[in-house]
Amino acid sequence: MQSSFNRKEIIEKITPVIENAAMKNGVIPIEIDFQKESGKWFLRIYIYCNDHPVSLDDCENLTNSIDNFLNDIIPVKYYLEVSSPGLERKFKSNQEFTIFKGKKIKLKLKNPIDETNTKVFNGFIEDFQKNIGLIFKEEKTENILTIKEDNILSAQLIFDDYKGEKHD
């Protein structure tokens, strides 16, 4: 086994394999992480399903679909973990605004967007477009806010609305 390699290159090589297998298994890869911890390599894949909560079968099916292919690409021994993103996941990419469209989130801004100086909102993802930003329906007022991408400090799913159905 090779002792020196580029972790980012490995992720670039395995991502299409994982995405293809995920699509065939009816799941969406939210995050692919390849890290060394306590001297051991871990490949963690977080998946999401649009029509049902992620099940153990979903994780097992994806694992079985990719395991042999990944062994040919990854030049070191590693542990593979496939799981759901979690009920109150903090977003790690803007792609998640599209994937979780309609879901309830807690949104923290870098700068307030109005005279109230409020920087924390709970509400629903209406849409996300790279050139416009996040279209967000505030929970308390039901106001529709447009928030530029560079003003978003963090976003996190809120559990009380995470039931598999989407908000209208």
Side-chain angles (χ1 to χ4, degrees):
M1 295 232 172
Q2 185 178 336
S3 61
S4 177
F5 59 90
N6 185 316
R7 186 181 71 80
K8 288 184 181 183
E9 284 179 10
I10 296 292
I11 291 174
E12 287 175 12
K13 287 180 183 177
I14 64 175
T15 296
V17 172
I18 294 167
E19 288 174 343
N20 187 36
M23 185 178 66
K24 288 178 181 176
N25 284 282
V27 298
I28 301 165
I30 301 289
E31 181 183 354
I32 300 169
D33 185 39
F34 188 53
Q35 296 288 332
K36 193 171 192 177
E37 296 175 8
S38 302
K40 297 176 183 174
W41 284 97
F42 289 86
L43 173 58
R44 292 185 177 100
I45 303 168
Y46 299 92
I47 60 173
Y48 176 73
C49 300
N50 279 324
D51 59 353
H52 65 276
V54 172
S55 69
L56 186 56
D57 286 341
D58 293 321
C59 297
E60 185 177 356
N61 291 340
L62 182 59
T63 298
N64 292 336
S65 297
I66 61 176
D67 206 17
N68 290 332
F69 295 108
L70 296 181
N71 289 334
D72 293 338
I73 300 170
I74 300 174
V76 294
K77 182 180 176 186
Y78 64 94
Y79 296 91
L80 175 61
E81 297 176 0
V82 178
S83 66
S84 76
L87 295 176
E88 293 200 351
R89 174 184 174 80
K90 285 192 175 192
F91 288 14
K92 299 199 175 150
S93 73
N94 289 334
Q95 170 195 13
E96 293 180 68
F97 288 114
T98 303
I99 292 168
F100 293 112
K101 182 177 178 178
K103 299 292 184 192
K104 187 175 179 182
I105 63 170
K106 179 177 187 175
L107 185 66
K108 292 182 182 179
L109 305 180
K110 294 175 186 173
N111 301 301
I113 54 174
D114 60 23
E115 64 282 344
T116 65
N117 287 327
T118 304
K119 293 199 262 183
V120 179
F121 298 90
N122 286 352
F124 301 91
I125 301 169
E126 296 290 315
D127 198 6
F128 182 83
Q129 297 174 18
K130 188 83 174 145
N131 57 340
I132 297 172
L134 175 65
I135 313 297
F136 181 79
K137 184 176 185 179
E138 188 181 6
E139 182 178 36
K140 288 181 182 177
T141 64
E142 296 197 4
N143 288 339
I144 302 294
L145 309 173
T146 301
I147 300 154
K148 295 198 179 299
E149 177 182 1
D150 63 358
N151 192 25
I152 298 172
L153 180 62
S154 68
Q156 179 177 0
L157 287 173
I158 295 178
F159 174 70
D160 67 342
D161 191 56
Y162 192 81
K163 298 175 181 69
E165 67 268 355
K166 299 226 177 200
H167 167 74
D168 293 322

